[in-house]
Amino acid sequence: MLSSTPAELVPAPGHDDEFASLFPEGATLDLLAEGGTWFEGPTWTGEDEIVWSDVVGNRLLVWTPQQGAGILLEPSHHQNGHTVDNHGRLVAASHGERAVVRRELDGSWHVLVDRHEGRRFNSPNDLVVDSHDAIWFTDPRYGIDKPEEGYGGTVEMDGCRVYRLTPDGNATAVTPPHPGPNGLAFSPDESVLYLADSEVGHILAFEVLDGGARLGEPVTFARLDPGPPDGIRVDPQGRVWTSCASGIQVFAARGPSEPGERLGSVAVPQRTANLAFGGPEGKTLAITATSGLYRLQTR
Ligand code: MG
């Protein structure tokens, strides 16, 4: 750990007690690693092992308390978002390969899908795996439009959508185009899919229908101020935790057709891209924010 400071917790009006109850007494924001250009895509690959992306640096990094920070894969082909699937395999959204890729248990990497109806994806950004082993991922254009975040190339898609990749290898588009689809997270019972749109600055909530085969019409769950939302996570009680320019904001759980209510925010010293729960009891947040990897204990 490089440094530790008291966490700056700012409850929203009327939510002081509820927001304070989310964190242990004396919670600290711990800086674990630094030196990136645009850290993204954190996930926990063990109780005390965090893997995350240096998107611009074209590296995949790993942190453990014993070893500190190190390089797991270089070049990483500008991987962005990560998650661990139900079988312990690391799954990544790859800007450079314009694909969803997976690290098998033997350490080898494979492309799972890189096109839809014959056209290459833009640059898959973030992903989540549901309980049926389907991988849901977003496909904005940042890895093409920002030359430092990918290998460039020609846009083949007529928009930026959310896709669902089922274990049989078929990817289907589950939304129409959105301006900047980015982070994804399910409600605890997987009845609602949340989508962060970084261009619009809001989080949408979709009802999941027909066992995941299709989504209902979205409702605006939250407009962020400050935005933009990038990576998002849902805790076991259904609260939505989102990244933003100033750190993290937390919204109360609501039904699929109701807007979320902001409970408060956690200040992070740098623009925050993403976050992930993990650690010994799943209560520790790993936070990627520009050039720093941070850790925050929650309850
Ligand atoms: Mg993202």
Side-chain angles (χ1 to χ4, degrees):
M1 182 166 64
L2 303 177
S3 68
S4 181
T5 54
E8 197 180 328
L9 309 173
V10 186
H15 293 289
D16 299 62
D17 292 346
E18 185 177 4
F19 190 62
S21 74
L22 302 180
F23 305 93
E25 195 84 11
T28 56
L29 185 67
D30 304 329
L31 178 65
L32 301 182
E34 60 184 354
T37 310
W38 183 238
F39 281 171
E40 244 281 18
T43 196
W44 294 76
T45 46
E47 275 197 357
D48 57 3
E49 184 177 281
I50 301 167
V51 167
W52 78 103
S53 302
D54 180 358
V55 178
V56 175
N58 204 5
R59 303 180 299 173
L60 185 61
L61 301 170
V62 59
W63 180 92
T64 63
Q66 298 80 22
Q67 307 279 333
I71 296 173
L72 186 62
L73 182 68
E74 186 175 30
S76 63
H77 302 306
H78 301 279
Q79 285 182 11
N80 191 330
H82 291 94
T83 194
V84 174
D85 73 8
N86 301 318
H87 309 280
R89 299 170 297 195
L90 183 62
V91 185
S94 174
H95 280 190
E97 291 163 291
R98 298 170 68 166
V100 173
V101 300
R102 185 172 70 204
R103 186 182 66 170
E104 307 301 333
L105 297 178
D106 66 6
S108 62
W109 288 87
H110 292 108
V111 171
L112 298 180
V113 68
D114 63 358
R115 58 196 69 217
H116 178 253
E117 295 180 348
R119 289 181 291 190
R120 296 186 74 194
F121 292 116
N122 299 313
S123 52
N125 187 293
D126 213 344
L127 34 70
V128 64
V129 176
D130 70 18
S131 59
H132 306 290
D133 292 330
I135 301 169
W136 302 63
F137 62 97
T138 52
D139 187 40
R141 283 177 32 173
Y142 302 119
I144 297 177
D145 293 347
K146 297 183 175 183
E148 71 278 14
E149 289 197 16
Y151 299 141
T154 307
V155 173
E156 298 184 19
M157 293 294 182
D158 63 354
C160 304
R161 294 177 171 82
V162 180
Y163 296 88
R164 172 176 174 256
L165 173 65
T166 42
D168 59 10
N170 285 318
T172 52
V174 291
T175 70
H178 287 266
N182 203 322
L184 288 172
F186 281 104
S187 63
D189 65 0
E190 297 184 354
S191 66
V192 178
L193 178 70
Y194 295 98
L195 167 66
D197 191 308
S198 299
E199 296 302 311
V200 183
H202 65 193
I203 297 173
L204 299 177
F206 298 80
E207 197 174 354
V208 179
L209 303 170
D210 300 342
R214 64 187 184 92
L215 299 174
E217 286 299 309
V219 298
T220 304
F221 174 76
R223 289 185 196 285
L224 260 65
D225 182 20
D230 192 333
I232 56 176
R233 292 288 188 269
V234 174
D235 72 23
Q237 282 72 44
R239 301 179 198 91
V240 177
W241 299 60
T242 178
S243 59
C244 69
S246 64
I248 294 166
Q249 298 180 48
V250 185
F251 290 82
R254 287 298 181 96
S257 61
E258 301 169 302
E261 187 161 13
R262 201 168 71 90
L263 299 177
S265 60
V266 183
V268 178
Q270 306 186 74
R271 177 174 164 163
T272 302
N274 215 326
L275 67 174
F277 284 103
E281 294 178 298
K283 296 177 179 177
T284 308
L285 275 178
I287 302 163
T288 51
T290 308
S291 69
L293 173 73
Y294 297 86
R295 178 179 62 187
L296 174 67
Q297 301 292 343
T298 75
R299 280 198 165 135

